[in-house]
Amino acid sequence: SGMDELLGTESKKYEISLSSTMSRDELARHGVFNSIEMAGDNSFLAESALSANKLTEYIVKQQWGLTRFTRHEVSLEQIFIDLTTGETKTSSPSKSI
């Protein structure tokens, strides 16, 4: 269903930084990643079907020197807010919560 695709249940995106100099190709050879792209010096945006715990475990085992690992996600709520308030943001009064 369309909602499942939005939520990306099959694969999750993670931002990974390593202390070792790994190339994208070297990382891509590992089956744990569905896709991987450079996000800066020694940092990558990786897509994996593994849970965060399982993936960090794997990376640590490889001894790549994991320095940063974050789940990369745009919340659906934020997307919805952007879609609905995009045009009116500037003119709408700020509400204190």
Side-chain angles (χ1 to χ4, degrees):
S1 71
M3 201 58 180
D4 284 348
E5 281 163 41
L6 264 182
L7 290 166
T9 41
E10 302 77 25
S11 81
K12 307 163 188 67
K13 274 196 168 181
Y14 302 104
E15 285 178 53
I16 300 167
S17 297
L18 307 171
S19 59
S20 59
T21 314
M22 297 285 294
S23 74
R24 194 194 69 83
D25 293 346
E26 283 174 283
L27 290 175
R29 280 192 210 111
H30 292 260
V32 291
F33 302 117
N34 297 351
S35 80
I36 191 146
E37 51 197 91
M38 296 294 295
D41 288 346
N42 293 351
S43 63
F44 304 89
L45 196 56
E47 223 170 281
S48 177
L50 293 181
S51 68
N53 289 349
K54 287 261 187 293
L55 191 56
T56 43
E57 213 172 275
Y58 180 86
I59 293 170
V60 169
K61 271 202 191 103
Q62 303 301 313
Q63 299 184 321
W64 292 334
L66 185 61
T67 54
R68 187 163 163 270
F69 183 97
T70 53
R71 179 82 186 271
H72 178 80
E73 54 190 333
V74 180
S75 76
L76 283 176
E77 190 188 349
Q78 193 54 51
I79 293 169
F80 182 72
I81 290 167
D82 289 347
L83 286 175
T84 51
T85 63
E87 291 84 49
T88 56
K89 227 171 227 158
T90 44
S91 57
S92 61
S94 56
K95 298 181 194 72
S96 52
I97 297 160

